[in-house]
Amino acid sequence: MSSENASRSRGGPGAAPPVHVAIIMDGNGRWANRRLMSRITGHEKGADTVRMVVRACRELGIAHLTLFAFSTENWLRPAGEVNALMELLRRFIEKERDELVQNDIHLHPIGRIEALPEDVRLALARVVEETRGNRGLQLHLALSYGGRDEIARAARRLAEAVLSAGLRPEEIGEETLAAHLDTAGVPDPDLLIRTGGEMRVSNFLLWQIAYTELFITPTLWPDFSRREFEEILEAFARRERRFGRV
Ligand code: FPP
């Protein structure tokens, strides 16, 4: 365990707020179905919740927020939904640009960014560049992301370093592998929230959530409120984290 994690092990009143919050934003489709609306309308409402959570993290002094916005498996959805999600993503990034820049938020995409349509990649690259020096909140957006895919890509990079950069196999350990993940240098999430009630991790941050506290709420993502977010943060503060010790 890193000393950073060790210093965050105490629960109870007054416990430190999470440094890193990760969220699986699920339930947009069900939210829309229940209202006889299109799934896309559900995703659009979901984008409003994204805005709310980013603001809340900024205001509450949370250092890292990772949002699961599009998985490697999501490419298998009907083309109309995939295209609409990509369009929504591009519009969101362009619209939020000023707010991110002005509010000291650094945008950091993770995943197979090269698989995204060119207009999304360009919009992302621009905001990444413009927010590069920001230190207030690190916003990691998981796009075309899969945890197994990320670990496989890290393994490939390590194999390449063995072949051509003089890395010796016996030098490879947990820290070396972590340093080749998309999240290199980012502390592991303290808290993983999943909305929509499913009891699974769906290939999200598989390596990084080894000791993460899980909170699953039945609330559908478009209905997730700042109040519920703060209640989860309070419940997190009451948990005692042991990291495998007694
Ligand atoms: C899961 O809901 C959500 C997604 C696959 C996409 C998440 C996208 C957003 C929250 C909106 C856009 C994001 C950004 C960053 C602007 P689902 O469709 O699987 O819902 P269901 O399980 O009810 O069908």
Side-chain angles (χ1 to χ4, degrees), residues 24-34 39-40 42-51 54 67-71 74 77 81 85 88-93 96 139 141-143 194-196 198 200 220-222:
I24 300 177
M25 311 181 286
D26 197 15
N28 295 343
R30 276 165 286 167
W31 184 92
N33 284 343
R34 285 177 195 175
R39 293 177 58 83
I40 311 306
H43 294 312
E44 281 166 359
K45 285 297 287 183
D48 292 341
T49 311
V50 171
R51 209 168 282 118
V54 170
L67 298 176
F68 203 2
F70 194 86
S71 71
N74 287 155
R77 292 189 177 200
E81 182 171 348
L85 268 170
L88 175 60
L89 200 60
R90 185 188 56 74
R91 270 193 283 124
F92 181 88
I93 296 160
E96 296 308 301
L139 172 59
L141 210 50
L143 294 165
R194 178 172 189 144
T195 60
E198 307 288 358
R200 49 181 177 257
L220 304 176
W221 180 248

Side-chain angles (χ1 to χ4, degrees), residues 37-131:
M37 294 171 168
S38 71
R39 293 177 58 83
I40 311 306
T41 307
H43 294 312
E44 281 166 359
K45 285 297 287 183
D48 292 341
T49 311
V50 171
R51 209 168 282 118
M52 178 279 289
V53 162
V54 170
R55 270 192 202 144
C57 286
R58 176 78 186 95
E59 287 165 16
L60 297 168
I62 289 164
H64 297 269
L65 171 65
T66 302
L67 298 176
F68 203 2
F70 194 86
S71 71
T72 44
E73 293 77 19
N74 287 155
W75 292 112
L76 300 173
R77 292 189 177 200
E81 182 171 348
V82 170
N83 293 340
L85 268 170
M86 290 298 142
E87 169 67 13
L88 175 60
L89 200 60
R90 185 188 56 74
R91 270 193 283 124
F92 181 88
I93 296 160
E94 287 172 353
K95 203 161 156 218
E96 296 308 301
R97 193 179 125 228
D98 288 348
E99 175 151 350
L100 298 179
V101 171
Q102 282 157 21
N103 286 294
D104 203 17
I105 299 169
H106 175 217
L107 182 70
H108 175 231
I110 61 171
R112 274 185 190 267
I113 303 308
E114 69 278 9
L116 300 171
E118 192 183 11
D119 59 341
V120 177
R121 276 187 282 125
L122 289 175
L124 275 172
R126 183 170 174 205
V127 180
V128 168
E129 189 50 40
E130 287 178 357
T131 61

